[in-house]
Amino acid sequence: MPVSPSSSAQAAREAVAGRLRDLRKEAGLTIVELANRCGWHHSKTSRIENAITGPTANDISQWCAATGATSQARDIIVQSVHAESMYREWRHQLRRGPTELQKGTGKLFRATSHFRVYSSTLVPGLLQTEGYATSVLGATARFRDLPDDDGTEAARARVDRSRVIHDSGRRFALLIEESVLHCRIADVDAMAAQLGYLVTAGAIPTVSLGIIPADTRSRSQWPRETFHMYDDKLVSVELVSARVRINQPSEVDLYLKVFEELRGMAVYGAEARALILKAIVALG
C-alpha cells in the first residue's frame, strides 16, 4: 500500500527519536539522568524519545553533548529539520499551477552550480524540448485530474529554466537509461525532435550526457528511481505520490555513491549518439 505523506513524515520524526534514544542507552543513562545533564524535566526526554515533541537544534546539541556524541549533532539536526519538511505532495505543489511550479524550480536551478541527474523514466527536464515537455506535463495533469489549459505555457517555462545549461559557470552531469529513448510519451514528431536535440546536447560545453545501454553486462547498480542532485546539498527524488527532498548529509552521500556507480556504466560521445540514432530509426 502507498504510504501517506503524513505517515512518512511521522516515520522520519520517529527515526530521529530512535537515534537520540539509542545514544542515551549507549551512554548508559536513564531518562532522568539524561534530563538532569541537559537541565530539563525528564518528561521532555520521554516526549522526544517517543516522537511526541520534535527536538530543537539546541535540544539535539545538548543531548549529544550529554551522551558524548557531539560529532553526531549536526547530522541529527539536519535529519530532524528534514523530517518536518521532507514529504511534499505533488497536488499541493501544483495548486499554484504547473507554470508557477516550473518557475519556482527555476530559482533552485539558478542557485546551483553542479547538477547531477539520473533518470530511468523520462528525458531530464533540463534537456526537454517544448513539444516533449508539453506531452509530459499534459499527461501529469490528466492523471491528477488537474486542468492542463496552461500546459503549453508551463512547457515554455520549463524550457526557459533549462537555459541554465548554457551558463559557463555551471556543470551538468546527466545520466539516462537507454529505455528512456524508447518511452513514447509524445507523438512521433515530438519524439523525433526530442531525440534529435539529444544528439547535439552532449556537445554543449557544460553538459556531460551519459546513456546506460540496456544490454550492459554485470551491472553494479540496477535502474533506480529518478533523482536530481543540486550541488552536494540536496537530492530530489520523484515518486508517484510525492517529491521527497533529502538534505541529510549521510543520505546525500549515499545518492552520490549510487550516481558515481551508474555513471561508470554509461557510454558517452559517439557511443551515446549511436544509441540515440538507433531510437530515432525505431520511430519509423
Side-chain angles (χ1 to χ4, degrees):
M1 292 179 64
V3 180
S4 72
S6 60
S7 296
S8 296
Q10 180 60 26
R13 287 192 289 270
E14 289 174 357
V16 172
R19 288 187 67 178
L20 293 174
R21 181 171 56 250
D22 289 344
L23 289 180
R24 175 182 62 78
K25 291 183 177 180
E26 289 169 5
L29 299 175
T30 65
I31 289 177
V32 173
E33 288 171 337
L34 186 284
N36 289 339
R37 290 193 179 188
C38 292
W40 61 54
H41 195 272
H42 65 82
S43 63
K44 177 176 177 176
T45 303
S46 180
R47 291 197 304 273
I48 290 175
E49 288 194 357
N50 288 287
I52 296 172
T53 298
T56 65
N58 187 55
D59 292 339
I60 294 172
S61 294
Q62 287 183 265
W63 193 298
C64 289
T67 57
T70 303
S71 62
Q72 295 189 45
R74 177 177 177 273
D75 193 64
I76 298 176
I77 289 170
V78 171
Q79 183 181 9
S80 181
V81 172
H82 181 51
E84 303 304 320
S85 61
M86 64 169 284
Y87 223 84
R88 302 181 181 185
E89 291 185 88
W90 285 113
R91 184 173 293 275
H92 291 169
Q93 293 185 40
L94 289 170
R95 280 178 177 170
R96 295 178 299 164
T99 300
E100 288 302 312
L101 177 61
Q102 301 304 316
K103 293 178 179 177
T105 308
K107 296 177 183 178
L108 176 60
F109 281 19
R110 290 189 293 275
T112 302
S113 297
H114 191 184
F115 296 75
R116 299 180 184 89
V117 180
Y118 165 75
S119 178
S120 57
T121 51
L122 298 169
V123 172
L126 283 163
L127 295 180
Q128 287 182 9
T129 59
E130 187 173 322
Y132 186 92
T134 298
S135 295
V136 170
L137 295 171
T140 299
R142 289 190 295 274
F143 177 71
R144 301 187 180 284
D145 297 322
L146 297 171
D148 61 353
D149 51 1
D150 68 342
T152 301
E153 184 180 352
R156 288 173 183 162
R158 173 169 288 189
V159 172
D160 284 342
R161 76 177 186 184
S162 299
R163 299 188 194 285
V164 296
I165 65 173
H166 297 286
D167 291 354
S168 60
R170 306 180 198 275
R171 292 180 294 157
F172 301 84
L174 310 175
L175 296 177
I176 62 174
E177 297 286 343
E178 183 183 356
S179 58
V180 168
L181 305 175
H182 298 274
C183 180
R184 297 198 183 187
I185 190 67
D187 61 34
V188 172
D189 289 342
M191 284 299 303
Q194 176 64 78
L195 293 173
Y197 179 61
L198 290 182
V199 171
T200 59
I204 299 173
T206 59
V207 173
S208 169
L209 174 60
I211 300 175
I212 302 173
D215 61 357
T216 298
R217 297 182 180 180
S218 302
R219 293 186 62 133
S220 60
Q221 289 288 334
W222 54 91
R224 296 290 191 171
E225 66 272 18
T226 292
F227 62 87
H228 298 66
M229 298 189 69
Y230 302 95
D231 291 322
D232 296 330
K233 301 176 181 178
L234 174 68
V235 178
S236 176
V237 183
E238 298 179 4
L239 306 178
V240 172
S241 60
R243 171 183 292 163
V244 180
R245 296 199 170 192
I246 298 168
N247 54 16
Q248 184 182 347
S250 59
E251 292 190 57
V252 171
D253 288 345
L254 191 60
Y255 273 93
L256 179 58
K257 180 179 180 180
V258 169
F259 186 86
E260 290 303 317
E261 290 195 13
L262 289 166
R263 187 165 69 168
M265 296 184 289
V267 296
Y268 300 83
E271 290 182 87
R273 288 193 293 273
L275 292 177
I276 299 170
L277 292 174
K278 177 183 174 182
I280 292 175
V281 171
L283 288 173

